[in-house]
Amino acid sequence: MKLIIGLGNPEARYAGTRHNVGFDVIDRLAAQFQAVFSSGKGKFHWTKINWRNTPIILLKPMTYMNLSGHAVIAAMNFWKIPRQDILAVCDDLNLPSGSLRLRAKGSAGGQNGLKHIIECLGSDEFARLRVGIRLDEQLPGSFSSFVLGKFSEEEKKTMEKILPLCSDAALDFAVNGIEHAMNRYNKSAV
C-alpha cells in the first residue's frame, strides 16, 4: 500500500491558493477515480484508490501546512505504511510555475509542511513531488502573502497543464517507485 499526501490548508479561504497545490493534486486524483474523502482516525481526510493492482491512500492533512507531520504520522501508523512508501506533494517557491520535481529524499527547501514531516519522522528520507509556483518576473516581498495568495488567471492556465502531469507522476511513483518516476517526470515542464 502507498500513501500519497497532498499538503495544504483546510479552510475554504485557502482553496485556490498557491500553497494548496498539494490538495489540488490529491483532489484531481480522487476525481479521476471517483473516490470520495472521509474523515480519518487523526486530523486528515482520506480516500483509497487502486491503480494497476496497487492500493493507494490519498491523504489531505487537516492540521494546516505547518503541522502536516502530525497527520502523516497518524496515517502511517494507522495503515502501517513505511516511510519508503509515502509521497508528499507540495508547492515549491524555488521552482518556476509549470514545473515539477520529484526527489527520493532531501531537505525541506523552505517548505514548512515538508519541514514538519521531516521533524516528525526524524528523517528526510521520503519521496516528495514539488510543484513550482514561482513567477519568473516575481520576487515577492512577502513569501507568506504570495504562497497564500490566489492563482491569477494566467497561473490557473499553467496549473491546469501541470496538474495532470503531477497526478500521473504520483501514480507512477505508486506503481514503479521513485527512481522510475524521477526519470520519467523530472524533465516535465509546461
Side-chain angles (χ1 to χ4, degrees), residues 4-10 17-26 59-61 63-69 71-72 87-91 111-117 126 128-129:
I4 302 176
I5 306 121
L7 302 185
N9 289 309
T17 64
R18 296 175 186 94
H19 221 22
N20 270 32
V21 79
F23 276 15
D24 295 341
V25 172
I26 295 299
L59 191 89
K60 296 194 305 186
T63 55
Y64 292 92
M65 180 68 77
N66 296 355
L67 298 175
S68 297
V72 172
L87 175 71
V89 183
C90 63
D91 63 288
Q111 216 287 347
N112 287 331
L114 289 179
K115 180 180 177 185
H116 195 254
I117 295 170
F126 62 91
R128 68 280 316 267
L129 190 167

Side-chain angles (χ1 to χ4, degrees), residues 101-158:
R101 186 78 62 234
L102 285 147
R103 290 284 182 258
K105 62 182 181 178
S107 74
Q111 216 287 347
N112 287 331
L114 289 179
K115 180 180 177 185
H116 195 254
I117 295 170
I118 291 168
E119 287 173 12
C120 289
L121 284 176
S123 173
D124 67 357
E125 294 189 11
F126 62 91
R128 68 280 316 267
L129 190 167
R130 296 173 179 258
V131 183
I133 61 167
R134 188 186 76 231
L135 302 177
D136 293 332
E137 72 282 352
Q138 196 259 342
L139 286 171
S142 167
F143 293 123
S144 63
S145 308
F146 179 74
V147 298
L148 294 175
K150 302 268 186 189
F151 286 115
S152 69
E153 289 306 312
E154 193 62 34
E155 288 173 284
K156 285 178 188 174
K157 291 175 188 170
T158 301

Side-chain angles (χ1 to χ4, degrees), residues 16-113:
T17 64
R18 296 175 186 94
H19 221 22
N20 270 32
V21 79
F23 276 15
D24 295 341
V25 172
I26 295 299
D27 287 339
R28 180 174 284 275
L29 278 166
Q32 185 177 335
F33 288 86
Q34 300 174 345
V36 178
F37 286 94
S38 301
S39 294
K41 297 212 183 268
K43 290 190 173 187
F44 56 82
H45 290 167
W46 71 280
T47 192
K48 186 177 179 181
I49 62 172
N50 268 290
W51 177 245
R52 297 189 179 163
N53 298 317
T54 302
I56 303 166
I57 301 294
L58 302 178
L59 191 89
K60 296 194 305 186
M62 295 289 115
T63 55
Y64 292 92
M65 180 68 77
N66 296 355
L67 298 175
S68 297
H70 295 312
V72 172
I73 294 294
M76 288 174 70
N77 289 339
F78 182 76
W79 282 289
K80 305 202 179 350
I81 299 174
R83 195 174 58 227
Q84 64 268 19
D85 290 335
I86 71 169
L87 175 71
V89 183
C90 63
D91 63 288
D92 192 327
L93 188 56
N94 297 312
L95 293 174
S97 182
S99 64
L100 65 89
R101 186 78 62 234
L102 285 147
R103 290 284 182 258
K105 62 182 181 178
S107 74
Q111 216 287 347
N112 287 331

